[in-house]
Amino acid sequence: GRGMLHLSYGVISKRVIYVEVTLRRCIEYIIVNVIAIGLMLIAFAGVASAAVEATIDSTWTSWPSTIYYLAYLSGPDGPYDNVVVNIVAVDEYTLYINGKEIGSGVYTIDPVTNEVKVDAWDVSIGNNSDIIIGVKVKNNGVGNGNGLMVDIKANTDWIGTTTMTRRTHTPADNRIQYGVAWYYNSGDVPAQLGDKWYDQKAAYFTTITKNGFKQVMNGVMGDLNYDPDNHIEIITGYPGDIDIGTAEGGGIRLRRVEGENLALGKPSEEEKLTDGDLLNGYAFNQDPVNITKYIDLEAIRRVNKMILFTGGANPDTWDRDSVRGYSCEISLDQFRYEEVGVLHEIGISNKDEGGYDWYAINFPEEWARYLRFKITEPRIFYPNIGEVMIYGVGYVYNGVYESDWNNLASNNLKNFNTVTWSGDTPKGTRIVVQTKTRYKLGDGTLVESDWSADHADTTFAFDSPEPAADFKYRVKLFTQDIDVTPTFQEIRLSYSDTDQPVTQSTGYISVVGSSVNQVPMGDVSDFEYTIDYTINQNASSASRNIKTIGISVPGESIVTKVSGSSSDSLAFSFDSTTELLTVDLAEPVTSGNELKIYFQTKLLTNLHDFEAYLYNDQNPTNDGAGGIKVWEKSDKSWTVTTSTILDQILSNVDAVPKVFTPNNDNTNDFTVFEFTLAKVVTDVDIKVFDTKGRLVFVKKCGVLTAKDHFFVNKAGNADDARALPGYWDGKDEDGDLVPPGVYIYQVVADTDSGDKIEGGTVVVAY
């Protein structure tokens, strides 16, 4: 929608938005697919202020996300008939027990105590030992935290949420294990398991991670009004490694790694040690003293804890199958290891923290990629280790938030204008935004576009296909410093839902007389541009037409013919700059499904994408949102590449006129240093010297694209010329007119192989 041209008061205004060039120099001979990345991002804009005010703005400052949790819980005092489920979640939840919906609740803070309220549900489960629990949680992304807490009072048992420690109970000197296993998935669960995703059986939990679920991590919320069970943790899932709950005032951040088992699924010396299954352990069959087993985290992290779990399902054997003593060692390169902690007399020294079940070594935060445990003390029986877990601090390095589809309160097709976002990007962090669109065909089929290019600019022209009924956005966050995260705070979309002339349009280009889209660089070639379209029959009769076509061109172009669906020639007029070809039909097209534009132009870069936009004759600015973007036809291409490369980077250097009289009489008051830049996108300077070699004027033109930088509209006024890189009004660096005489000018292009310089002389006369 933020089209290549905007019609305002019958006048075509033009402005080019270039991709930011992060390297000062571009290589002299640019490989086709490299320059393509830059050129494909070129968009065209330019709107009269009155038109811009007519667009609609929608703003988002919250980031809703739905997460589905499943758990299989059991305890030693089953079977159970009635249980009490204590639950709280950020920000809304629906609770399911053994395949039945129990009820819903919302996150509530007591205004007097400032504590978070915990709901209690009395549930009859019908003499059942298994408690299969599902919780659907919607986090509104407004800063209340992440996750949920569930604790179930079942007979004498307390069973509930935990991320890293299984729990045991000892009735009548017979220690029995509690089943504690929580998993999460986001958004796509109903598609995988059906609408009754929560109605699973105990056997399902042996393969749950193969069905798209992941182990939960530590969450955070406010002070809970709850204290019966001190084993309980706040647990959560982080779809896309994004934290939408803890930024002050709301916002999207990278999630922290606290509470995540960094070793899960990572390579290890014994695969069973990091597979996430505590019962699938590694049993030593020899004296284990001084034997080590390593884990590769596959990235350098800052770690501070190692936990070993005893293997096996029978708690009565853990005292003999457990490790008696071990140390933790860390390394960056797997060659030099440093011991960071040791634990002795396991089962006694850590009686209140796992005992024979699990045993943790905490140590000061250290950078490491490889960690290993070393057995330091044996028991009578060789140990059985069920799992090794590693914990650390900091943020993940990257994450992605993807919004739901937004209909923007209207089913009308929309023409999208610009996207503006705000956030905080500390040094070493980065945020990029993408968009996509979709619309519905007459038969009800949804057509969904690909994701747009990455946009790091906080305001950018909307470059997803249109018109469309719905849009969504994706936010990608990056950091190079795990102690720092960027924060995304707001996104705003400007659009128009005025009647659109077409429901869809696709375009492609052909080189006349050739079976491939290739032309010699610098040669004027003939092109045929085909646009397939469907007129929007739902629009008002006055709006159902195509009047103007704008095409992105690599240089000044000449239109030779326009034809419609019947192949009849259509009357037209055209206007061209070195970036934009505008074709205006004498009579608007109101039917048919094809337009062909025949024109001549030349390429001075390795490739060019001939993007196009359509306009009707009723509201040519579309409330300031610009034209309807033509999609690239799926089985064709709008890209043309060059089959040859010019020898010279700078050519056709000239001063037009060669003699000028800057006396402010509005006649011949300036000159334009014209030149052709080929093959590169680079910095260009223009320098003017007197005949004694003294520099009198320098113009920093900035980064220019490869094309003819000519004064095309020579009948135009000085304002048209001032926009050109080669404009000179005869003044020196101090703004004073230079004396009459002959001056030497140079056009200087900065390249990797040195400055390329071409020049000539110009005469200033009075």
Side-chain angles (χ1 to χ4, degrees), residues 24-40:
R24 183 170 180 266
R25 297 181 175 181
C26 295
I27 60 172
E28 182 171 341
Y29 298 102
I30 301 177
I31 300 173
V32 169
N33 63 346
V34 175
I35 194 171
I37 296 171
L39 295 179
M40 286 173 62

Side-chain angles (χ1 to χ4, degrees), residues 337-366:
Y337 277 90
E338 173 191 0
E339 183 180 290
V340 291
V342 62
L343 186 62
H344 302 286
E345 293 298 330
I346 288 168
I348 299 174
S349 64
N350 67 324
K351 183 177 180 180
D352 296 327
E353 294 185 13
Y356 298 112
D357 186 349
W358 57 273
Y359 12 98
I361 293 178
N362 295 279
F363 50 89
E365 298 166 7
E366 293 282 355

Side-chain angles (χ1 to χ4, degrees), residues 502 533 535 545-549 585 588-589 595 614-616:
V502 296
Y533 60 87
I535 294 292
N545 68 77
I546 300 172
K547 182 68 166 61
T548 303
I549 305 101
L585 303 177
V589 172
L595 282 171
L614 303 178
Y615 304 78
N616 64 20

